[in-house]
Amino acid sequence: ELSKLTTLSEGLLQLAHTGNGIAKTKLELDSLITIAISRVLKGAEQKQILIVPDKSKKLAVRGEETSLIEALVTVLDNAVKYSPDKTEVKIKTGKSKEFAQIEVIDQGIGIKASELPYIFERFYRADSSRKRSETEGYGLGLSIAQKIVDEHDGSLRVKSKMNKGTTFIVT
Ligand code: ATP
Ligand code: MG
């Protein structure tokens, strides 16, 4: 319980803190993704979920390293958490105008169309996630990720099909 509350308060602090401008540097997208994957690898292995990163395209981005990694971890963590065992999570990278684009594609439970507009709201959790004891959370991840992406003038979009899978697109 203590560790859950620690996570919760850290999330809340982060929500409160961003906003007064962040120091951006030039970063290699590949290494951000590698670090983010390493943070969710244990959970993925426990469910025998394979995370498949894109072939290296050597994209550079300007941003704040810690928060960008945090945003990627959030999306990857969700992909693992809301997918059945023995599925795959694919990561595709590319460019869209002057922005880097990262797609995280899972083969998970999906999100109902009627719930899609709400998942970026603080503390919102879809019905199916609340019912399952194995997918615990506070519904904070995406609201923080959204905030981080906003700070980088980017966008966070989602496409989903029930029982087929979900794709998050970080631009
Ligand atoms: P936490 O605060 O630990 O991240 P959480 O995962 O429930 O908790 P969010 O990451 O904000 O919170 O996600 C909000 C909700 O969106 C989830 O509860 C889940 O219902 C839905 N969701 C997010 N990502 C996916 C996904 N890849 N597949 C299916 N549902 C998802
Ligand atoms: Mg989450």
Side-chain angles (χ1 to χ4, degrees), residues 65-150:
E65 185 170 22
T66 311
S67 60
L68 282 183
I69 292 169
E70 200 57 46
L72 292 176
V73 168
T74 294
V75 173
L76 285 171
D77 176 65
N78 283 346
V80 169
K81 189 155 75 166
Y82 301 112
S83 290
D85 290 10
K86 295 175 184 163
T87 52
E88 274 190 9
V89 175
K90 286 202 190 79
I91 302 171
K92 279 193 196 165
T93 56
K95 261 169 81 172
S96 164
K97 293 185 182 149
E98 79 273 35
F99 284 90
Q101 198 162 284
I102 307 130
E103 282 181 66
V104 176
I105 305 152
D106 70 44
Q107 302 170 332
I109 61 174
I111 304 163
K112 271 192 225 151
S114 61
E115 302 197 276
L116 275 182
Y118 305 109
I119 59 168
F120 299 101
E121 282 176 13
R122 233 183 294 185
F123 300 117
Y124 187 85
R125 310 196 68 219
D127 241 2
S128 51
S129 323
R130 269 180 278 135
K131 275 186 285 207
R132 296 166 164 226
S133 57
E134 76 266 29
T135 59
E136 290 187 345
Y138 289 101
L140 275 176
L142 286 177
S143 64
I144 297 171
Q146 173 80 74
K147 189 130 186 152
I148 292 166
V149 169
D150 284 349

